Amino acid sequence: MFIPKANRIAVFSYLFKEGVLVVKKDTVTPTHPHIEGATNLEVMMLMKSLESRGFVRITFSWQHNYCYLTAEGIEYLRTYLGLPEEIVPATHKKSTSRPAGRDREEDKFAGGGGGGDRPAFRGGGDREYRSREGGFGRGGGV
């Protein structure tokens, strides 16, 4: 399939920048949602070509192709796009800061046995919600 060079460079530069690419298995979509100018069919065919050469690993799930760049693929795209050695894909960059969220040291339920802010279904607190009278199912009545 003939793919214009501008579209090929757009797909390759996006793949190198992110390190991963998601392509829906839809050949009639006029554009790819993340890549400007390239059709979804062109992106699918380029990823299939890169996979056959061992530059990309593809996982297919729920009508989507998940394409992961391999080490050989990084070297190939670096030479094809003319990029220096210092530039690496986003998936290969080391993050220096911790992601935002709860600290592991302060555990919400570490306060000991029962009570506090611990929910009733976890063993502590008031158990009146589970009375022994009546009920449904097998053995529900007394």
Side-chain angles (χ1 to χ4, degrees):
M1 175 177 187
F2 177 73
I3 299 171
K5 189 169 185 176
N7 293 355
R8 182 183 306 263
I9 290 176
V11 171
F12 285 173
S13 61
Y14 180 84
L15 178 63
F16 188 83
K17 181 178 75 170
E18 296 295 326
V20 293
L21 180 66
V22 179
V23 185
K24 185 175 182 183
K25 186 183 174 185
D26 184 11
T27 58
V28 295
T29 304
T31 60
H32 189 273
H34 302 292
I35 300 171
E36 191 86 20
T39 66
N40 209 38
L41 179 63
E42 291 173 346
V43 176
M44 280 177 48
M45 293 299 113
L46 283 171
M47 292 303 110
K48 187 163 55 164
S49 172
L50 289 177
E51 182 191 27
S52 69
R53 292 188 270 172
F55 299 143
V56 168
R57 182 175 53 90
I58 295 181
T59 303
F60 184 76
S61 177
W62 289 79
Q63 297 298 313
H64 285 79
N65 288 314
Y66 298 93
C67 308
Y68 308 99
L69 201 54
T70 62
E72 296 85 18
I74 291 172
E75 292 302 317
Y76 172 75
L77 290 181
R78 190 173 278 144
T79 56
Y80 188 87
L81 297 172
L83 298 172
E85 292 285 326
E86 296 83 34
I87 300 176
V88 294
T91 55
H92 290 249
K93 291 181 182 175
K94 305 227 185 228
S95 64
T96 57
S97 64
R98 285 183 67 180
R102 186 178 92 179
D103 288 335
R104 297 282 181 211
E105 292 84 29
E106 61 176 55
D107 193 9
K108 210 156 92 170
F109 302 119
D117 61 348
R118 191 174 197 151
F121 65 87
R122 294 214 180 223
D126 191 29
R127 290 191 179 237
E128 288 181 22
Y129 68 93
R130 245 195 319 183
S131 64
R132 292 280 179 191
E133 304 167 15
F136 299 103
R138 297 163 51 155
V142 177

